[in-house]
Amino acid sequence: MRTKLFTLAFFITSICFSQVGKDCINPLIINALPYSATGLTTNGFGNDYLTPCGTCPTSSWMTGNDFVFSFQPLLDMNISIKLSGITTFIGPSSVGLFLVDGCPSDPLSTCIAKAEGPASGFTNPEILNKHVSKDTVYYIIVDTWASGTINMSTGFNIEVNETLNLDVETIEIFEPRTGCSLTNERFVILFRNLSIDTLFSVPVGYQVDNNSPVYETRNDTALPGHEYFYTFSTYSDLSIPNKTYMIKMFTSLPGDGNLLNDTLYFPITNNNSINTFPYLQNFDTNSIGWTTAWINHTDPRSSWQYGTPSKTIINHAESGTKCWVTDTVGFNLPNEQSYVIGPCFDFSSITLPVLDLDIWYNTSTYDIAQIEFTTEHGIAIAIHWTNIDNIGFGQNWYNTLPSVPESGWNGSSGGWLHARHTLDTLGGKPYVVFRVSFKGGVNAVNEGFAFDNIKISESPLNDLSADEIIYPKGSCNLTSNDSVVVKITNHGMNSVHGFDVKCSIDGGNSYVTENIADTLNFLQTMTYKFTSSFDFSTNKLYNVIATTALQMEQNTSNDTAKAEIMHYSSISAYPYFEDFENSDGTWFVSGMNPSWQWGIPTDSVLTTAASGTHIWATNLSGYHNLAERSYLTSPCFDLSAMLNPKLKMFIWYEETYPTYCQFNISTDGGNSYTALGTASDPNWYNAGSAWTFSSSGWKQVEHSLKNYAGNSDIRFQFYFYGTIQNTGFAFDSIVICDAPVSDFSGITSTGSMQAQFN
């Protein structure tokens, strides 16, 4: 009886302390409308449902963690549900929103409405004007399209409102837009009918600064839930040069039940057109031509400020005292979608324009800064923005991983960097506008992004670059008579012939100089193999430098390519045991924003090694880095003489999901890596193909390497994906040995027999 009572008490306690929003038993209850909540997340809520209703097929947008709301209306009504502040890297298209008249696990429930990714476009998911009946309990589920352990969660904001009999929402000030040489401009409003019924006339208006408002009426059918443009017949004068006008647009439907969504404000600047180059704006005395605004007109927020930064990290301009920065003294805004837009450039006389600027960034995990351009006037400027990404050569240009849908700058630059990018698609264009955009996540904020010293010029006549050291790469097989191969590009308008290149493998202490007799034309690229040989035979890290030496060089910032080349140890004697007490074991750190360190842990959470005193860890004395995508690569292992190799090691982790660490293996000399094993393997990962959350101290894990027996070049690699900061990951005391193989040959049974295997 005591056992039953204890079990019942434990069951009741579990229910009482279950997470609100986790499932239909413990939903977040919406008691009344209108309802709104910000800063929510599906992180940690579990993947309880795979289908929006009991009889429907599985939804790809319900494969991540679920956040569940419940709502029981007291009266029959229509409701609308809107999400914003989506923080997955894949964006709103990976988030699903579902309205169900019962729990999704109930086979009798019905999916009333859903907004699944591309079906609802790439804007934030929303469900509009759906009927709900009194005394019925409805469930609202927010979920994601997950891939393994990736994209399991999202941050979000939510609004749930009753659909009113009369409600018209102003969505966007569609025209005019910031541009050049504005004169008498037309005005266009975009609105949506959120009413239950069809409307046949909608009064609209606009106002410029404090001038008298303009009132007109759209006399046409407006169906419920549909969007409509209206072009005003009255134009207004916006011709004062370099002036920023504040535009107000509004609807004024008689009897409108929600006046909070009727009016929008948006700044419009009349810029001059610039056709003299080089153009330079260092922001020391003014910010003429550069103004801030917001991407989403219904979310009018921007932290961008022109002034003197005095933050903890971003604490000075690159030159002078002033620059543009996301808040001069604090953090960027959560879920910020804003930009600083520049003047108009006439590139008619330029063949290959080049953009230079100085940047400093210190962002949170889901924040991205990027530079975009448009070549179109008028309303197109609101739509057709192109990211300056893979359209030319870049220096310090973007650092997000290829797997991230939107390329940009993210993480920490460690100070001011000089960024440079050719604009080879824009030469000859008569109208080009740039904007520096900042797109922030909802879960965390940081100091954000700053830029200074904007320069736009024609490509120089003489400009050679050393782009990349192609060979060698980190290897176990480098020799005393090895080669260096470098990629070289001519960015200058002049062809070059007979130029020098130099190479150093000791960080610049000594160089070898050679002459290239070939001709390189404008934008032509070549790979050059030095005729001299280089000694890489010692197992250590080599700092390799290759640089061009062109006479009359006009841009020295891209002359040098650098690479850290590791000659790894090759392990062939077993058992292999490394506890890192005497050295770092020739494990090598690389990747984006790496925090890996070898030494003695002094953190308040990670306080000891598994054995001895020394370990490898992501920051021995604090948190791992933001936006970290780092690697820790092992020596090479020759398993050619082994029959049943096995790996054991001690690991420790304290991570905040979606941070994780994965153990990878390569069989092709380090050219490609795949995850070793899955969570279904005994005593290995705890989630998919990774370790995440907490190990609760040091623990020994192990994995068979039998599938790799006989391979002469095996390499291992920890891949650390750092998002929300925490202590991170550590490992110690790694062992690789040949486990015994059972052999029953020659055994004769003479009776009962027992055998024990270890």
Side-chain angles (χ1 to χ4, degrees):
M1 182 65 180
R2 289 180 179 178
T3 301
K4 292 182 179 180
L5 288 173
F6 173 80
T7 302
L8 178 61
F10 179 80
F11 176 74
I12 294 173
T13 302
S14 298
I15 292 177
C16 292
F17 288 92
S18 293
Q19 201 169 13
V20 174
K22 183 184 184 306
D23 51 32
C24 298
I25 299 175
N26 302 280
L28 196 162
I29 300 172
I30 299 173
N31 291 309
L33 300 184
Y35 172 83
S36 66
T38 60
L40 299 179
T41 179
T42 64
N43 183 22
F45 283 81
N47 183 16
D48 296 292
Y49 306 111
L50 293 172
T51 175
C53 58
T55 58
C56 294
T58 298
S59 169
S60 296
W61 286 267
M62 251 195 178
T63 52
N65 295 325
D66 322 297
F67 195 106
V68 181
F69 301 84
S70 70
F71 172 60
Q72 182 174 346
L74 299 178
L75 300 171
D76 291 354
M77 65 175 66
N78 285 28
I79 64 171
S80 296
I81 310 166
K82 300 180 183 180
L83 298 185
S84 62
I86 302 302
T87 62
T88 66
F89 270 131
I90 299 177
S93 64
S94 68
V95 176
L97 174 64
F98 305 89
L99 174 63
V100 188
D101 67 357
C103 187
S105 59
D106 186 345
L108 299 179
S109 64
T110 301
C111 186
I112 304 299
K114 58 185 178 180
E116 294 179 323
S120 58
F122 288 92
T123 57
N124 291 311
E126 57 182 29
I127 293 172
L128 299 176
N129 200 16
K130 295 301 176 181
H131 184 76
V132 291
S133 302
K134 66 178 181 179
D135 300 329
T136 299
V137 177
Y138 294 87
Y139 292 91
I140 300 168
I141 297 95
V142 179
D143 210 319
T144 59
W145 184 325
S147 176
T149 60
I150 307 301
N151 214 52
M152 285 289 294
S153 303
T154 185
F156 66 97
N157 308 322
I158 188 170
E159 295 180 40
V160 185
N161 294 292
E162 180 182 359
T163 306
L164 303 173
N165 289 331
L166 294 175
D167 183 14
V168 177
E169 174 189 31
T170 303
I171 298 174
E172 189 171 12
I173 298 173
F174 204 71
E175 283 193 70
R177 290 302 176 106
T178 291
C180 296
S181 304
L182 300 180
T183 56
N184 204 38
E185 301 297 320
R186 75 174 183 177
F187 286 66
V188 179
I189 188 174
L190 175 62
F191 67 86
R192 175 162 48 187
N193 179 17
L194 296 179
S195 309
I196 293 177
D197 298 324
T198 298
L199 301 176
F200 299 99
S201 66
V202 177
V204 293
Y206 76 83
Q207 184 178 18
V208 179
D209 292 335
N210 293 319
N211 298 333
S212 298
V214 173
Y215 296 96
E216 296 184 7
T217 300
R218 179 187 184 274
N219 293 304
D220 203 349
T221 301
L223 299 174
H226 286 244
E227 299 176 1
Y228 298 94
F229 292 99
Y230 176 75
T231 301
F232 289 86
S233 60
T234 304
Y235 285 41
S236 287
D237 183 9
L238 305 179
S239 62
I240 300 175
N242 295 316
K243 175 178 171 56
T244 298
Y245 299 87
M246 183 55 71
I247 308 300
K248 172 185 175 182
M249 278 193 182
F250 53 89
T251 59
S252 55
L253 181 70
D256 193 315
N258 180 15
L259 302 180
L260 297 178
N261 60 6
D262 290 356
T263 304
L264 292 179
Y265 295 86
F266 197 73
I268 304 298
T269 302
N270 180 23
N271 280 326
N272 289 331
S273 182
I274 294 170
N275 57 14
T276 302
F277 300 95
Y279 164 84
L280 176 63
Q281 172 57 281
N282 58 18
F283 304 114
D284 287 346
T285 58
N286 61 64
S287 185
I288 291 177
W290 296 84
T291 55
T292 184
W294 36 91
I295 295 174
N296 184 350
H297 286 207
T298 60
D299 186 13
R301 299 177 304 128
S302 171
S303 67
W304 286 105
Q305 292 179 338
Y306 163 64
T308 301
S310 56
K311 313 189 194 193
T312 302
I313 297 175
I314 304 177
N315 53 25
H316 64 277
E318 200 285 330
S319 67
T321 60
K322 295 181 179 179
C323 63
W324 274 98
V325 60
T326 49
D327 200 306
T328 55
V329 296
F331 290 171
N332 62 268
L333 301 173
N335 192 35
E336 180 172 349
Q337 305 283 307
S338 63
Y339 58 82
V340 177
I341 190 169
C344 310
F345 294 95
D346 181 358
F347 291 152
S348 299
S349 61
I350 294 184
T351 302
L352 180 61
V354 178
L355 171 65
D356 288 88
L357 75 161
D358 294 305
I359 59 173
W360 191 343
Y361 51 93
N362 197 79
T363 76
S364 294
T365 302
Y366 295 104
D367 300 343
I368 289 180
Q370 54 193 198
I371 299 182
E372 303 166 295
F373 71 87
T374 184
T375 59
E376 302 187 42
H377 297 265
I379 61 172
I381 201 172
I383 304 171
H384 301 137
W385 287 97
T386 302
N387 192 5
I388 301 177
D389 191 5
N390 299 317
I391 61 170
F393 173 75
Q395 174 189 353
N396 289 324
W397 202 264
Y398 294 172
N399 66 337
T400 49
L401 296 175
S403 59
V404 178
E406 284 198 84
S407 300
W409 290 289
N410 174 272
S412 175
S413 64
W416 284 104
L417 297 176
H418 184 75
R420 178 181 174 89
H421 206 293
T422 55
L423 307 170
D424 46 312
T425 64
L426 301 181
K429 299 288 186 181
Y431 184 91
V432 182
V433 178
F434 299 98
R435 71 181 188 184
V436 182
S437 299
F438 188 84
K439 301 173 182 179
V442 70
N443 285 338
V445 293
N446 212 313
E447 294 194 5
F449 192 84
F451 68 93
D452 200 357
N453 299 324
I454 295 277
K455 179 183 177 182
I456 298 177
S457 58
E458 175 69 280
S459 287
L461 295 177
N462 303 303
D463 182 14
L464 272 184
S465 69
D467 303 334
E468 178 188 4
I469 295 172
I470 298 175
Y471 181 86
K473 301 296 185 184
S475 174
C476 311
N477 303 308
L478 300 178
T479 68
S480 60
N481 189 32
D482 229 317
S483 303
V484 172
V485 180
V486 61
K487 177 184 176 183
I488 299 171
T489 301
N490 179 17
H491 298 282
M493 306 289 285
N494 290 338
S495 298
V496 295
H497 175 81
F499 54 90
D500 288 344
V501 290
K502 300 191 298 182
C503 181
S504 171
I505 67 169
D506 58 7
N509 291 318
S510 61
Y511 281 92
V512 170
T513 302
E514 297 183 1
N515 184 266
I516 299 178
D518 296 341
T519 298
L520 269 185
N521 298 316
F522 176 51
L523 293 183
Q524 188 175 358
T525 296
M526 69 176 298
T527 55
Y528 177 72
K529 179 180 178 182
F530 284 85
T531 59
S532 303
S533 60
F534 299 89
D535 185 0
F536 293 102
S537 60
T538 303
N539 295 334
K540 67 175 186 178
L541 181 67
Y542 295 86
N543 293 308
V544 181
I545 301 174
T547 182
T548 57
L550 179 68
Q551 291 186 356
M552 301 180 67
E553 172 72 61
Q554 293 175 275
N555 175 30
T556 59
S557 66
N558 60 4
D559 289 356
T560 301
K562 297 181 179 181
E564 290 185 330
I565 308 300
M566 187 71 181
H567 186 181
Y568 297 100
S569 302
S570 184
I571 310 299
S572 58
Y574 297 94
Y576 165 80
F577 173 72
E578 179 59 74
D579 61 1
F580 305 109
E581 292 304 300
N582 299 317
S583 72
D584 61 10
T586 66
W587 288 66
F588 176 61
V589 178
S590 61
M592 186 176 78
N593 296 332
S595 63
W596 288 100
Q597 294 177 329
W598 167 72
I600 300 173
T602 59
D603 185 69
S604 59
V605 180
L606 175 58
T607 57
T608 63
S611 66
T613 59
H614 288 65
I615 62 172
W616 272 101
T618 54
N619 193 348
L620 293 165
S621 59
Y623 285 179
H624 64 78
N625 291 331
L626 278 169
E628 182 170 348
R629 312 289 186 269
S630 63
Y631 304 91
L632 183 64
T633 305
S634 75
C636 307
F637 293 91
D638 182 355
L639 307 183
S640 58
M642 304 184 79
L643 298 176
N644 188 25
K646 189 173 186 178
L647 176 146
K648 289 186 178 182
M649 60 183 169
F650 282 90
I651 63 171
W652 185 104
Y653 51 94
E654 190 69 35
E655 301 163 337
T656 301
Y657 184 85
T659 294
Y660 66 86
C661 190
Q662 187 176 71
F663 193 74
N664 296 329
I665 187 169
S666 173
T667 60
D668 60 1
N671 291 315
S672 62
Y673 285 85
T674 58
L676 178 66
T678 67
S680 62
D681 298 330
N683 198 22
W684 196 234
Y685 296 135
N686 70 331
S689 294
W691 294 289
T692 188
F693 300 116
S694 176
S695 62
S696 300
W698 285 101
K699 61 182 295 186
Q700 190 176 50
V701 294
E702 61 184 55
H703 202 281
S704 172
L705 303 175
K706 188 174 182 179
N707 291 339
Y708 306 98
N711 195 304
S712 61
D713 188 357
I714 291 291
R715 303 183 200 185
F716 302 108
Q717 190 178 76
F718 287 97
Y719 170 55
F720 186 77
Y721 179 91
T723 55
I724 301 172
Q725 284 183 296
N726 206 325
T727 307
F729 190 91
F731 86 104
D732 194 5
S733 300
I734 183 169
V735 179
I736 298 177
C737 62
D738 208 2
V741 178
S742 301
D743 184 3
F744 293 94
S745 61
I747 296 179
T748 303
S749 177
T750 58
S752 62
M753 183 172 64
Q754 291 182 334
Q756 180 175 338
F757 300 96
N758 296 316

